[in-house]
Amino acid sequence: MDLGIAVFSALDIVLARLDLRPRWVRLVPWTLTAATVYLNVHRAAHRFRPGRHAVFPALWVIAVEVAAHVVRIRGRLAAGTAMDRIRPSRWLLAPVRRPG
């Protein structure tokens, strides 16, 4: 289960970088993390253990969401302002835009 969290978290970050991030991919690590937290808390006998077992998986999901957000902001994908660069050959062949 923990490996699934890591794999889908990495996939989420890569897809965010490529601006191909479907919403449902985010739910997979969240669901797996919730299941991990439930199983860890359910097994805990001591009263402080449930909190300890819930903190690290929750921090992992938060860190992945922050990383995906940073990737989207740095890549100017969140605002929709990302633009491919213009090839130098285009400037050589048509340096001035024609009206019309």
Side-chain angles (χ1 to χ4, degrees), residues 7 13 28 51-52 59 70 72-73 85:
V7 167
I13 292 172
V28 175
R52 259 193 339 216
L59 287 176
V70 167
R72 290 181 56 79
I73 296 299
R85 67 180 192 90

Side-chain angles (χ1 to χ4, degrees), residues 16-19 71-86:
R17 174 65 180 107
L18 297 173
D19 197 26
V71 165
R72 290 181 56 79
I73 296 299
R74 292 289 232 164
R76 289 177 285 169
L77 300 171
T81 58
M83 188 173 104
D84 294 335
R85 67 180 192 90
I86 299 172

Side-chain angles (χ1 to χ4, degrees), residues 24-68:
W24 64 268
V25 172
R26 296 171 65 187
L27 297 176
V28 175
W30 289 5
T31 305
L32 291 174
T33 300
T36 299
V37 168
Y38 173 76
L39 292 173
N40 287 343
V41 169
H42 184 67
R43 286 189 224 153
H46 196 269
R47 66 182 180 152
F48 292 114
R49 284 191 185 151
R52 259 193 339 216
H53 288 291
V55 169
F56 288 115
L59 287 176
W60 177 264
V61 170
I62 292 169
V64 168
E65 287 298 319
V66 168

